[in-house]
Amino acid sequence: MRAAWPKDVGIIAMEVYFPSQYVEQAELEEFDGVGAGKYTVGLGQARMGFCSDREDIGSLCLTVVQRLMERSGLSYESVGRLEVGTETIIDKSKSTKTVLMQLFEESGNTDVEGVDTTNACYGGTAALFNALNWVESSSWDGRYALVVAGDIAVYATGSARPTGGAGAVAMLVGPNAPLVFERGLRGTHMQHAYDFYKPDMVSEYPVVDGKLSIQCYLSALDRCYSVYRNKIHAQWQREGLEKHCSLEDFGFMVFHSPYCKLVQKSLARLMLNDFLCHPSPDTQSGPFSGLEAFRDVKIEDTYFDRDVEKAFMKASSEAFESKTKASLLISNQNGNMYTPSVYGCLASVLAQHAPQQLAGQRIGVFSYGSGFAATLYSIKVTQDATPGSALDKLVSSLCDLQARLDSRKKVSPDVFAQNMKLREETHHLANYIPQGSVEELFPGTWYLTRVDEKHRRQYARRSMSDDRPLEAGLITSCIAAEHIPSPLKKMPRIPTTTAGPEVISNGDH
């Protein structure tokens, strides 16, 4: 029954992690011997974060989960479901989620549902939907769900390499959330394609059909938008409203971002859909002015039509500036994180707007994963933007994103290439001790200490006490250290420890 559903289920808290080192895309252009602007203008990328052999999917997820729990003042007993979405596979059987359960040991909480979800970049969204569905189901026991999306995106030497990146996003899901998922408003499209896939189990590198991948992405966007608009239109009709959904109904629009330029083209594509679906668009004034020549184009014929693309990118430029550009902060500065990509875009919007600017807005979210799976859904931001509100706390927790991006270390393309070669040569090696520097990692980062002869991985955490004043200062000044109680009952908070590196092993006991 609707009356029994928890109220306002959605995202309560978020945490983002990205590597502490990056390469400049402009320098990479020169290093790779390609034309100036190919990566920076053509792809819209400025910097690319990357991991040394000290980090793997286990360490990325350990870091982002512990950081979320510590910064939120949350106890591990208050989590009843933990979902991981990733396509960075280091074991064909064992979930990354099981690695994260080591963080729960001290609390004694082993009653935590959920395992990994895998389908390219869509895995994080599928995990998030699982968590939302759990909270709204008869299985819910009143505790929070925790969703982690994490990946290391690396490519073989060549044209795809600058579209890499790495990172993780953790999201706390429950009722009375500041970011509420609009019930019944999801447009999904699923289809079979070999646009991007990873059939080689001993390599981190994918097989990519670039042109097909773009076509799949854009066609999925068209279809998801069409289904979404039909659903919201039906909802409005039930409420007695006679109107049609368009870009105007979204305060912000965020997309999965393989590279920033594709996102800008995607917003233009939504305007193209609006234009073609409009019964009588005004081509004399307003956003559709001068577009009458495109009135009879067939949407499926326009994926690589430069004239259509150019005209609608120009027509949608104002909408892009106000609704989407802010979402590309992490994508532009860190690159494609795969499953966390679209949620890094969501975090970027929250980080760059005041609670009052966000309150009451509808945020459209388009998630795409190759193979392929896609959904367009919407989030409604709570109206309460008062100091100390859930929205205020969420926005405050992300206010250091730009400073954290700026605090990373820049390395030369040559050092980047050496790191990629090292990862390539040591990926899946047994009886291996990583060579990367621990000192270069951010304070509080989990890292790989060794892989034993049975491929069992051991991790340690870099101490939080460090001589980097920026990171330490931000954690105390930017985040209110206030406990978030469990939805149904208050749970005791586990004291935060700042002692030297904790060591945990994966499978030694």
Side-chain angles (χ1 to χ4, degrees):
M1 288 177 60
R2 285 177 181 265
W5 274 332
K7 183 175 164 50
D8 295 340
V9 177
I11 298 170
I12 297 168
M14 292 183 80
E15 184 56 60
V16 181
Y17 172 73
F18 38 77
S20 60
Q21 54 190 353
Y22 69 90
V23 62
E24 287 278 2
Q25 293 276 15
E27 294 180 7
L28 202 57
E29 289 170 345
E30 188 176 348
F31 181 79
D32 290 346
V34 301
K38 185 175 178 64
Y39 306 158
T40 51
V41 179
L43 298 175
Q45 300 300 119
R47 295 173 174 178
M48 178 167 54
F50 67 94
C51 298
S52 73
D53 64 342
R54 280 290 177 188
E55 295 188 272
D56 65 6
I57 187 57
S59 70
L60 259 61
C61 292
L62 284 165
T63 299
V64 79
V65 168
Q66 186 152 19
R67 188 177 171 99
L68 176 74
M69 300 299 276
E70 288 174 349
R71 283 165 58 117
S72 301
L74 196 66
S75 70
Y76 285 93
E77 296 107 311
S78 65
V79 176
R81 188 176 185 95
L82 173 57
E83 293 266 351
V84 176
T86 184
E87 62 170 273
T88 305
I89 309 301
I90 54 175
D91 190 290
K92 290 185 285 184
S93 174
K94 194 179 192 312
S95 279
T96 300
K97 182 264 181 80
T98 63
V99 176
L100 299 180
M101 287 310 299
Q102 293 165 105
L103 296 173
F104 288 71
E105 286 180 4
E106 187 182 342
S107 71
N109 179 21
T110 58
D111 179 19
V112 183
E113 296 185 7
V115 288
D116 290 9
T117 302
T118 303
N119 190 96
C121 302
Y122 187 81
T125 294
L128 180 57
F129 288 172
N130 288 345
L132 292 161
N133 293 344
W134 177 73
V135 173
E136 292 191 337
S137 77
S138 61
S139 299
W140 187 50
D141 64 4
R143 292 182 295 168
Y144 291 114
L146 187 59
V147 178
V148 189
D151 277 303
I152 297 172
V154 288
Y155 294 85
T157 306
S159 60
R161 177 160 276 189
T163 63
V169 173
M171 295 171 278
L172 189 70
V173 174
N176 306 313
L179 302 185
V180 182
F181 281 64
E182 294 198 279
R183 194 173 280 137
L185 296 182
R186 293 182 195 168
T188 291
H189 179 71
M190 301 270 173
Q191 192 174 329
H192 173 58
Y194 280 116
D195 58 327
F196 168 111
Y197 52 109
K198 295 178 179 175
D200 186 349
M201 301 306 290
V202 298
S203 171
E204 287 191 288
Y205 299 145
V207 176
V208 185
D209 182 333
K211 187 173 183 180
L212 176 61
S213 191
I214 292 169
Q215 181 175 327
C216 289
Y217 182 106
L218 296 176
S219 68
L221 177 61
D222 291 340
R223 296 183 188 194
C224 289
Y225 190 42
S226 175
V227 173
Y228 178 93
R229 286 189 311 182
N230 288 339
K231 288 185 178 181
I232 198 169
H233 184 230
Q235 197 174 97
W236 284 340
Q237 279 188 319
R238 288 193 297 271
E239 296 168 1
L241 295 172
E242 269 307 322
K243 57 177 287 191
H244 289 274
C245 178
S246 73
L247 266 179
E248 294 303 309
D249 294 295
F250 299 92
F252 299 96
M253 193 75 214
V254 304
F255 302 80
H256 165 60
S257 179
Y259 53 92
C260 293
K261 187 54 73 75
L262 183 60
V263 169
Q264 190 172 356
K265 292 178 181 180
S266 296
L267 190 80
R269 186 115 196 135
L270 294 187
M271 181 171 276
L272 170 64
N273 275 267
D274 286 351
F275 176 69
L276 294 179
C277 291
H278 199 291
S280 53
D282 180 359
T283 56
Q284 301 305 311
S285 61
F288 297 144
S289 60
L291 297 175
E292 60 275 359
F294 305 103
R295 188 62 180 150
D296 296 322
V297 300
K298 292 181 179 177
I299 194 96
E300 63 272 16
D301 296 336
T302 60
Y303 301 128
F304 302 104
D305 188 320
R306 290 292 177 89
D307 293 333
V308 170
E309 183 182 282
K310 186 177 178 182
F312 282 87
M313 282 182 73
K314 182 181 178 183
S316 63
S317 59
E318 205 172 294
F320 174 76
E321 288 290 325
S322 63
K323 298 177 189 294
T324 301
K325 188 176 181 180
S327 73
L328 295 176
L329 172 64
I330 293 176
S331 295
N332 173 264
Q333 295 289 305
N334 183 57
N336 185 5
M337 301 187 289
Y338 286 166
T339 54
S341 168
V342 71
Y343 300 103
C345 291
L346 177 60
S348 295
V349 169
L350 300 174
Q352 296 176 88
H353 291 88
Q356 294 77 14
Q357 295 173 299
L358 297 163
Q361 296 282 6
R362 172 177 285 122
I363 302 175
V365 180
F366 176 67
S367 178
Y368 174 84
S370 291
F372 60 91
T375 299
L376 192 152
Y377 63 91
S378 56
I379 291 170
K380 203 67 184 289
V381 184
T382 178
Q383 292 283 1
D384 185 5
T386 56
S389 65
L391 178 60
D392 182 56
K393 289 176 185 175
L394 175 60
V395 171
S396 295
S397 74
L398 295 166
C399 70
D400 63 347
L401 266 186
Q402 182 68 66
R404 284 168 56 199
L405 286 164
D406 292 343
S407 72
R408 296 172 300 165
K409 178 187 176 183
K410 185 179 92 165
V411 303
S412 68
D414 185 55
V415 171
F416 164 70
Q418 289 171 22
N419 271 272
M420 292 299 100
K421 192 170 191 312
L422 179 64
R423 288 192 69 91
E424 187 178 317
E425 292 171 347
T426 61
H427 182 63
H428 278 327
L429 274 190
N431 202 20
Y432 176 69
I433 296 176
Q435 301 170 32
S437 168
V438 174
E439 286 68 36
E440 299 295 343
L441 302 172
F442 284 131
T445 301
W446 285 95
Y447 59 91
L448 187 66
T449 58
R450 70 178 296 237
V451 183
D452 74 10
E453 67 282 355
K454 292 186 176 181
H455 288 274
R456 294 176 296 189
R457 291 169 180 254
Q458 297 178 8
Y459 301 93
R461 190 188 191 201
R462 191 170 177 213
S463 173
M464 287 295 292
S465 54
D466 187 81
D467 58 0
R468 299 190 190 198
L470 175 67
E471 184 75 5
L474 282 166
I475 290 173
T476 54
S477 66
C478 188
I479 309 303
E482 187 175 330
H483 173 61
I484 299 177
S486 178
L488 291 193
K489 58 182 178 179
K490 290 193 174 182
M491 296 286 188
R493 180 181 174 185
I494 301 170
T496 302
T497 57
T498 54
E502 307 162 50
V503 180
I504 60 177
S505 65
N506 185 11
D508 270 353
H509 45 76

